[in-house]
Structures are given as C-alpha cells and as structure tokens.
Amino acid sequence: MKLGIAGQIAKAFIKSKLTPLIILASIILGVFAVIVTPREEEPQIIVPMADVFVQAPGLSAKEVESRVTKPMEKLLWEIKGVEYVYSIVKPGMNMTIVRFYVGQDQEKSIVKLYNKLMSNYDRIPQGASQPLVKVRSIDDVPILSMTLSSENKNYTGYELRRIATELCDELKKGNDVSEFNVIGGQKRQLRITFEPVKLSGYNLSPFQIIQTIQKANFVSESGKFPSSNSEFIVKTGGFLDNSDDIGNLIVSTFKGSPVYLKNIAAIEDTAQEPVNYVFNWSKNPESGKVNNQNGETEAVVIAVSKKKGANATNVAEDAIKKVEVLKGKLIPHDVNITVTRNYGETAKEKSNELLEHMMIATISVIILIALALGRREAVVVAVAVPVTLALTLLISYLFGYTLNRVTLFALIFSIGILVDDAIVVVENIHRHFKMAGSSEKVAIEAVDEVGNPTILATFTVVASLLPMAFVSGLMGPYM
C-alpha cells in the first residue's frame, strides 16, 4: 500500500527516538518565547510622523502663512506616501505636522522628508530659519508615569522638579528607556531686573547688557603648548554658574571705574514663572475622603517612554526598582512617589489573562476528549496542541511580533482548528484499533486515511482567512 504525505510523516516519527526530543525542545522554546517576547496591550502600529518647525521672527501670523506655510505645504505634498499635512501658524512661528500612510517604512519616510526640505533650502524666504524636523512615533507615548509630592511645605514645585530631573538622569541610564518628560514644577531661573534710573545714569541700554552676558557665558579653546612631554590646552572664558558670577560681571566703565551688573540691576537665583500646575489629591484610607481638598500639595510628574521593540513590562519594572533603590539617597524620605500609570503592568496582566484562558481552553478540550474517546487519545491531543502553540509562539517572536490581545486571541482561535484536526486523526486511529487491533501498521494506515483530507481542510481554513492579511490602514495590524 502506497502511503501519502501524512502516512509517510507518521511512519517517520512513530518509532523515532528524535520524536520525544523534538517535543521537549518545542515546549522549552515556546516557554522561552513567552518569557522574552515583548508584551503590549495593542499591536505595534507604524505611522511615520514628523513635526517641521520654522521660525520667522517679526512676521505676523498672516505673513508666516503666506510666505512660509503655504509654499512648504506644497513641497511636502509632493513626497510620495504622505497622507496628511497639518499646519499651526503663530506670529513668528510655523509648525507643520507631516503624516505618512500607515505601514510606510519609518526610516525611508523620514529620509524622503529630509531630502525634500534640504533640496529646497534656497527657497527659504529671507528672515526665516531653516526647517527643524522632529520625528514622532507611537513609542513616544509614555508607558510609566510617577508623581512626586510631599506633605512638607518646604518642598515646592521648584524643589520637586529639581529632584525629578536628577531622578530622570538615573532612569535614562536604562538600556531600553527612550526619553522622559518632567511635567509640573518650575525650572531654575536667574532673573535680572534692571533699574532704569541707574541704566540712564551710566548711559547703558538693556540690549548692550544682554550682549555682554552672552559673550561672557562662553568658553573657547585659545591654543596649545607642549611642555615636559605633555601637551596643554589653553581655554579662555567660562560659564556663568550662579548669581554671584553674573553680579560681578563688568558691563561697562564709568569715569575710569568698572561698572558691575549688580550695581545697575537686582539679580535673583529663583524659580521661573509657572508654565503649568500639577497637584496631588490623596484619600484618607479610613474615611475615604480627600485630604487636600484645596489642592494644596504641589506635585511633579515623570513620564517615561520606551524604545521601539522593548518590553514595556520590563522597562516599567526596572524603572520602579531603580526608584525604590534611590529612596533615602537621591529622593528624600519625606517625598512621596506614586505610580499613576503603568502601561507595562496592565499589558502584563492582560497578556497573562489571555494566556490563562488559552491554557483553560486547551485543558477543557483534553478533558472532553478523554471522556469521549479515552485517556490514550487525550494524551495525543495533550501533546499535539501545546507543541503546536509553543512553536507558533517561537516563530511569532522570531518575526518580531509582540504578545498582545490580538495575537493571543488569534492563538485561542487557532486552538479550535488544531483540536479539530487532532480529533479527526485520533478518532480514526481509535476506530481502526477497535477493528484490527493496536499495532504500528494500523496506526500509520489510520493516519494516512484521513491525514491528507485533514491537511487540505486546514489549508482551506487558512485560505479563507488569508485576505485579512492584506487589510491596510489602521486596521491592518489588527488583522
């Protein structure tokens, strides 16, 4: 009797010593794939996007629109793959958002954008700056937000922001941390308030003083000289570090005497004017009421983003562990840190929940087959389904996919096809064993009898679902 493809495969593996090794290796590789595959709530959507900034000092919004915005938009629409071009015009400034079609290659799209802009630099109107391109991506969305606050009134938004900035420097050392953003609080600012009467008395103008400060806040390499088999680099100038350095700056001379900046202006090393506010409201665990009903506790938020392809769960966990280590060292004891958003944790929870449901579905099918056909038949399904799923997870990891609700739902959906094929083959083997007895030859013939139709039925299901792979746009990654 000539065997078909299914019968030949069954004959090759039914007594092979490699079969248990292949099964074991598949399970181990599947577990490895589950551990190392990045976890996310949603699949990665590639939408190349960039912001193009152009400064045009002195021009009104209408002039910026006519001289900068409209000509640049016409050039940007010439780029192949551009779907939308939006512009925001303000007096002296233009920001144009360029968005390419979903699924376009990120690097190639940005290169085309740069080529188009750089090849038309000669068309930039007089007084306008060269375009500044800032690339945006879905990975810019923060995966972790931590709020710094304190009941101690000595910690204002200014002090909290300084602590947050130093903390961000430590978090940025993580290999998979892309960028961070500090929201709230006030930045450090050296404020110079001129006294008009003294300026007039010394015959000075604010513009002259600004130029003097800019020239003084500068370091340059003046030369080199060799000495004793060594080379020394001579640097002149220096950066201004504090209010004393600025106050002792000589801005002019009057009747042969130097005029210091502190003689004509009040200098303060203080916080800048607030740009935005962040407050923290906490609940009393006993009463459940808000403690700070008037929003008296200032706060600062640190938002952390991950690199493309990094595991959101691992990045968030590493950042939180690093914060715990720095408590009492970089972070004062009376400063509280609250995790207000943890995308990595929610992604992990949802992935684990779907993996759990997949295991429950597999176990339910095995029990059902054990009750209907017998224990030996159930063992066959108990081996076939996990091995197939394990290899699928491995291939998914090798192709760069992530564990998200869509990929895991697809795996749960595929269990039905896997079990359907396994039941057909196992039931036919069970029937042949009852008719002709249990033997290797009977098992091979039983597999060969239904193997080819089963394979054909599987390919038919695959063919019916294949058009979903060609869906484009925002729904493409979900198919």
Side-chain angles (χ1 to χ4, degrees):
M1 179 182 176
K2 186 178 179 180
L3 297 176
I5 297 175
Q8 292 175 1
I9 294 173
K11 184 178 180 181
F13 285 97
I14 194 167
K15 285 292 185 180
S16 175
K17 295 181 180 179
L18 291 175
T19 302
L21 295 177
I22 293 174
I23 293 172
L24 182 61
S26 301
I27 296 295
I28 293 173
L29 290 173
V31 173
F32 167 78
V34 171
I35 295 172
V36 300
T37 303
R39 300 189 178 195
E40 297 176 323
E41 290 188 29
E42 309 291 346
Q44 282 284 348
I45 301 176
I46 301 175
V47 187
M49 187 184 300
D51 297 338
V52 183
F53 295 90
V54 177
Q55 301 293 332
L59 298 183
S60 65
K62 191 173 182 180
E63 291 172 329
V64 172
E65 182 184 7
S66 61
R67 299 183 60 186
V68 177
T69 307
K70 289 184 177 179
M72 187 168 65
E73 284 184 346
K74 291 180 181 178
L75 292 173
L76 296 176
W77 276 116
E78 295 175 3
I79 302 173
K80 186 178 179 180
V82 171
E83 184 178 13
Y84 294 110
V85 175
Y86 312 93
S87 291
I88 300 173
V89 181
K90 295 181 180 179
M93 189 208 77
N94 170 79
M95 184 183 77
T96 300
I97 304 169
V98 185
R99 202 186 92 183
F100 292 80
Y101 284 101
V102 178
Q104 293 278 321
D105 186 84
Q106 176 90 8
E107 286 72 22
K108 291 181 180 179
S109 300
I110 301 304
V111 168
K112 288 190 288 186
L113 176 61
Y114 269 103
N115 286 343
K116 176 60 70 174
L117 292 174
M118 293 179 72
S119 61
N120 289 277
Y121 274 179
D122 58 323
R123 301 175 64 177
I124 297 175
Q126 188 174 3
S129 66
Q130 290 186 352
L132 172 64
V133 179
K134 288 193 174 183
V135 181
R136 307 296 183 189
S137 72
I138 195 70
D139 292 304
D140 294 335
V141 179
I143 63 162
L144 179 67
S145 297
M146 295 179 287
T147 303
L148 279 71
S149 62
S150 177
E151 298 293 335
N152 189 340
K153 300 301 180 182
N154 293 325
Y155 289 103
T156 62
Y158 173 62
E159 283 79 17
L160 289 173
R161 187 180 180 92
R162 297 186 68 176
I163 296 171
T165 304
E166 294 182 15
L167 179 58
C168 286
D169 291 338
E170 295 296 323
L171 296 177
K172 191 69 171 66
K173 294 177 182 179
N175 294 329
D176 293 325
V177 175
S178 170
E179 61 181 21
F180 58 84
N181 187 25
V182 180
I183 306 168
Q186 300 86 42
K187 296 180 180 179
R188 182 190 177 193
Q189 185 180 71
L190 287 169
R191 186 178 303 158
I192 301 173
T193 307
F194 297 111
E195 298 185 22
V197 175
K198 293 183 178 180
L199 281 176
S200 178
Y202 287 112
N203 196 25
L204 293 170
S205 68
F207 183 72
Q208 289 177 287
I209 298 173
I210 291 171
Q211 286 186 321
T212 304
I213 295 173
Q214 290 174 342
K215 292 177 181 178
N217 192 35
F218 184 75
V219 175
S220 63
E221 188 175 313
S222 301
K224 304 175 184 177
F225 67 89
S227 176
S228 303
N229 294 326
S230 300
E231 186 178 62
F232 293 88
I233 300 174
V234 180
K235 292 183 178 180
T236 56
F239 294 111
L240 302 173
D241 294 329
N242 49 51
S243 57
D244 292 334
D245 291 346
I246 295 180
N248 293 324
L249 193 64
I250 299 175
V251 294
S252 182
T253 58
F254 186 77
K255 294 182 180 181
S257 299
V259 178
Y260 296 98
L261 184 57
K262 62 184 177 182
N263 299 140
I264 57 173
I267 304 168
E268 297 176 274
D269 189 347
T270 181
Q272 69 172 183
E273 292 294 327
V275 178
N276 48 40
Y277 289 96
V278 178
F279 293 100
N280 183 55
W281 282 269
S282 58
K283 286 187 177 181
N284 190 319
E286 296 180 358
S287 63
K289 295 182 179 180
V290 176
N291 291 331
N292 303 298
Q293 295 184 2
N294 297 321
E296 296 175 349
T297 304
E298 270 197 270
V300 172
V301 176
I302 298 175
V304 181
S305 302
K306 70 178 183 68
K307 291 181 180 178
K308 181 180 179 181
N311 193 325
T313 302
N314 293 342
V315 174
E317 289 179 351
D318 292 343
I320 294 172
K321 287 178 183 177
K322 190 170 289 187
V323 168
E324 293 296 327
V325 172
L326 293 173
K327 284 184 177 178
K329 299 176 183 177
L330 180 63
I331 306 168
H333 292 289
D334 47 356
V335 173
N336 304 318
I337 296 185
T338 307
V339 177
T340 48
R341 182 179 189 268
N342 190 343
Y343 176 82
E345 184 180 359
T346 56
K348 182 180 179 180
E349 288 177 356
K350 292 179 180 178
S351 297
N352 289 342
E353 183 180 1
L354 286 171
L355 286 171
E356 182 183 344
H357 290 170
M358 189 167 64
M359 290 178 61
I360 292 172
T362 305
I363 293 171
S364 301
V365 169
I366 293 169
I367 294 173
L368 183 62
I369 292 176
L371 295 174
L373 300 178
R375 287 179 295 177
R376 287 202 306 175
E377 291 77 2
V379 170
V380 175
V381 176
V383 173
V385 174
V387 168
T388 308
L389 292 176
L391 290 175
T392 304
L393 288 168
L394 176 65
I395 294 171
S396 174
Y397 165 69
L398 294 176
F399 274 88
Y401 291 101
T402 60
L403 278 182
N404 52 71
R405 64 175 73 189
V406 176
T407 55
L408 289 174
F409 177 77
L411 285 174
I412 296 174
F413 174 74
S414 67
I415 290 177
I417 303 173
L418 293 174
V419 172
D420 185 40
D421 293 346
I423 288 175
V424 171
V425 175
V426 169
E427 195 278 333
N428 200 51
I429 294 173
H430 179 75
R431 183 173 63 85
H432 275 258
F433 280 179
K434 281 189 173 181
M435 292 189 302
S438 301
S439 68
E440 178 184 336
K441 183 181 178 181
V442 172
I444 295 172
E445 291 176 353
V447 172
D448 185 65
E449 184 179 16
V450 295
N452 292 343
T454 304
I455 294 173
L456 182 60
T458 303
F459 277 118
T460 303
V461 175
V462 172
S464 66
L465 298 174
L466 195 60
M468 297 174 66
F470 299 98
V471 176
S472 59
L474 286 174
M475 287 305 298
Y478 292 89
M479 296 292 108

